[in-house]
């Protein structure tokens, strides 16, 4: 029985060598130390041992049990250590590495310019009202004094939708939308997107932005002097206090008289260059006193109310202000371009 015990020990310790896997260790544990295991079996057969030898055999059996348990404990420790070391080396984090940079977004340059412009009008007391992109003929043309088949409509060829609707060709529909729902005094700017059947080019785009504005009050309160004051103030705030402004006679169906506003070329400061076609001036907007027919279209009595209106393209202004020479850049959404503003 003594030899049997020594054999059990020798075999178990041989199997519990340094390289034993967790599974092998568990197998040895069950086979040797388990309930129906080899050591238990020896204990049960103790009766077969002569009485005098029993204590020695019992001690030996317990000793072997403790040896094997100690061995298993030792192996389990080194297994845990190895596992820890493995996970540390595989999943290691180098806290000194630079992090993944999340690029910072920003507003589109056209939006930035539009907000700068609106800020100037808001400071002068104007209210911002957004109206609609899909419009009917009345609000885009007829109420703005474009008679049916009038050649002025051809200056603004639109995208027509079904049901007599179209994509607005200018933000002047905002004048009609606001005035027909409210009574003066009004000082309003209507920013927004406009659409025309133009080819995309260096100077034009079929989709672009405008800001329309108008101020209306009782006759004699909002005059042409106010128009000149407000718009000259806007031009100087936006392009710089050194710019010169000039008002030129023009034609629009919805204003009488109609005017165009020029500023001295911001690139050559009036000396003459390619951008201003060597005139020293750049046109920045159309404006004028609101036509009596427009007042009638929104049920205002033209003898009682008077006001001015203006409208201009945001991209054109952005080209000048940001010194960009191709409008297409604004719509290509190339981050290398956009990130510069
Ligand atoms: N709606 C005109 C356009 O798109 C711009 C304009 C000119 C608006 C004169 C006005 C104005 O209100 O008085 O070309």
């Amino acid at each position: 029985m003594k030899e049997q015990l020594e054999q059990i020990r020798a075999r178990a310790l041989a199997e519990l060598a340094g390289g034993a896997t967790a599974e092998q260790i568990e197998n040895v544990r069950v086979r040797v130390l388990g309930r129906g295991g080899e050591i238990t079996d020896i204990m049960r057969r103790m009766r077969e041992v002569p009485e005098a030898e029993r204590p020695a055999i019992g001690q030996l059996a317990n000793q072997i049990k403790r040896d094997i348990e100690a061995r298993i404990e030792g192996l389990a420790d080194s297994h845990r250590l190895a596992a820890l070391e493995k996970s540390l080396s595989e999943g290691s984090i180098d806290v000194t590495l630079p992090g993944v940079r999340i690029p910072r977004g920003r507003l589109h340059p056209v939006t930035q310019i539009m907000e700068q412009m609106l800020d100037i009008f808001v400071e002068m007391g104007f209210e911002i009202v957004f109206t609609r992109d899909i419009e009917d003929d009345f609000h885009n043309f007829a109420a703005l004094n474009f008679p049916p088949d009038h050649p002025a409509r051809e200056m603004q060829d639109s995208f027509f939708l079904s049901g007599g609707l179209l994509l607005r060709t200018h933000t002047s529909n905002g004048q009609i939308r606001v005035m027909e729902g409210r009574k003066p005094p009004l000082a309003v700017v209507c920013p927004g997107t406009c659409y025309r059947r133009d080819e995309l080019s260096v100077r034009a785009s079929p989709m672009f932005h405008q800001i329309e504005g108008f101020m209306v009050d009782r006759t004699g309160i909002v005059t042409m002097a106010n128009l000149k004051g407000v718009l000259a103030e806007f031009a100087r705030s936006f392009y710089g206090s050194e710019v010169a402004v000039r008002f030129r006679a023009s034609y629009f169906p919805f204003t009488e008289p109609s005017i165009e506003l020029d500023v001295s070329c911001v690139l050559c400061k009036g000396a003459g260059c390619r951008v201003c076609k060597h005139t020293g001036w750049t046109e920045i907007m159309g404006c004028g006193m609101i036509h009596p027919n427009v007042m009638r279209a929104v049920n205002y009595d033209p003898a009682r109310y008077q006001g001015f209106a203006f409208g201009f393209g945001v991209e054109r202004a952005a080209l000048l202000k940001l010194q960009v020479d191709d409008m297409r850049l604004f719509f290509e959404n190339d981050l290398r371009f956009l990130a510069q503003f």
Side-chain angles (χ1 to χ4, degrees):
M1 196 135 310
K2 193 171 169 225
E3 290 96 78
Q4 249 185 320
L5 276 170
E6 292 297 356
Q7 270 171 18
I8 292 171
R9 163 152 63 191
R11 184 175 165 212
L13 291 183
E15 284 174 354
L16 295 174
T21 65
E23 196 187 354
Q24 286 167 334
I25 296 170
E26 181 61 9
N27 286 344
V28 174
R29 197 186 62 75
V30 171
R31 190 190 73 228
V32 180
L33 308 175
R35 263 167 201 253
E38 292 168 346
I39 301 276
T40 323
D41 186 49
I42 298 278
M43 298 303 219
R44 265 197 216 112
R45 286 164 42 212
M46 204 58 105
R47 261 175 279 112
E48 300 166 23
V49 180
E51 227 178 299
E53 290 172 31
R54 278 183 203 162
I57 294 292
Q59 266 175 18
L60 183 62
N62 280 328
Q63 184 58 48
I64 290 175
K65 205 170 159 183
R66 280 196 298 274
D67 287 353
I68 293 176
E69 276 169 354
R71 177 90 196 140
I72 288 179
E73 221 12 73
L75 280 178
D77 275 351
S78 64
H79 267 278
R80 276 193 288 274
L81 214 84
L84 182 65
E85 261 162 20
K86 187 164 172 246
S87 90
L88 281 177
S89 70
E90 280 177 357
S92 67
I93 297 169
D94 181 349
V95 293
T96 65
L97 281 175
V100 179
R101 227 174 261 281
I102 298 173
R104 190 168 226 231
R106 68 194 76 192
L107 294 175
H108 190 281
V110 170
T111 306
Q112 291 181 36
I113 291 290
M114 187 134 97
E115 291 192 347
Q116 279 175 29
M117 293 168 154
L118 292 171
D119 280 349
I120 297 170
F121 287 111
V122 167
E123 238 170 76
M124 287 193 272
F126 283 78
E127 167 195 354
I128 302 173
V129 179
F130 291 87
T131 61
R132 52 185 85 190
D133 289 20
I134 296 179
E135 207 32 295
D136 52 36
D137 183 278
F138 177 77
H139 293 88
N140 194 80
F141 289 124
L144 287 159
N145 198 33
F146 288 82
D149 304 318
H150 190 281
R153 289 189 178 211
E154 287 195 4
M155 291 155 53
Q156 302 192 1
D157 200 0
S158 181
F159 294 98
F160 289 91
L161 308 168
S162 57
L165 299 174
L166 55 102
L167 297 181
R168 68 172 168 196
T169 56
H170 50 185
T171 44
S172 303
N173 68 327
Q175 271 186 60
I176 308 303
R177 288 274 167 201
V178 172
M179 288 198 287
E180 69 186 356
R182 291 164 60 176
K183 284 275 168 256
L186 290 169
V188 174
V189 277
C190 299
T193 315
C194 309
Y195 310 83
R196 289 190 200 174
R197 284 194 48 192
D198 283 333
E199 293 296 328
L200 184 61
S201 74
V202 174
R203 304 255 315 144
S205 158
M207 190 279 300
F208 58 101
H209 297 83
Q210 281 190 342
I211 295 177
E212 179 83 12
F214 58 97
M215 195 183 250
V216 190
D217 207 332
R218 302 284 295 271
T219 302
I221 296 177
V222 179
T223 66
M224 191 105 121
N226 299 113
L227 176 157
K228 292 177 81 171
V230 165
L231 297 180
E233 173 62 23
F234 167 76
R236 293 193 194 107
S237 303
F238 183 72
Y239 289 104
S241 54
E242 70 288 351
V243 296
V245 295
R246 89 177 172 187
F247 293 86
R248 268 185 300 112
S250 184
Y251 169 77
F252 300 101
F254 33 87
T255 43
E256 182 58 40
S258 298
I259 298 170
E260 268 172 78
L261 171 56
D262 297 344
V263 291
S264 52
C265 178
V266 287
L267 290 181
C268 65
K269 311 257 181 292
C273 68
R274 196 175 56 89
V275 171
C276 62
K277 299 192 189 96
H278 303 283
T279 62
W281 295 94
T282 16
E283 179 205 318
I284 62 163
M285 69 170 79
C287 52
M289 298 305 289
I290 298 172
H291 197 287
N293 286 348
V294 175
M295 297 288 189
R296 287 188 195 100
V298 295
N299 291 319
Y300 285 5
D301 177 357
R304 197 153 170 232
Y305 294 113
Q306 182 185 7
F308 67 82
F310 57 90
F312 56 91
V314 179
E315 281 83 0
R316 288 272 172 94
L319 288 178
L320 280 180
K321 177 91 173 188
L322 304 175
Q323 314 223 340
V324 172
D325 59 8
D326 188 338
M327 195 181 290
R328 290 170 292 195
L329 290 166
F330 288 136
F331 305 114
E332 284 166 355
N333 287 334
D334 184 334
L335 286 178
R336 290 169 301 181
F337 169 75
L338 297 177
Q340 292 175 47
F341 307 101

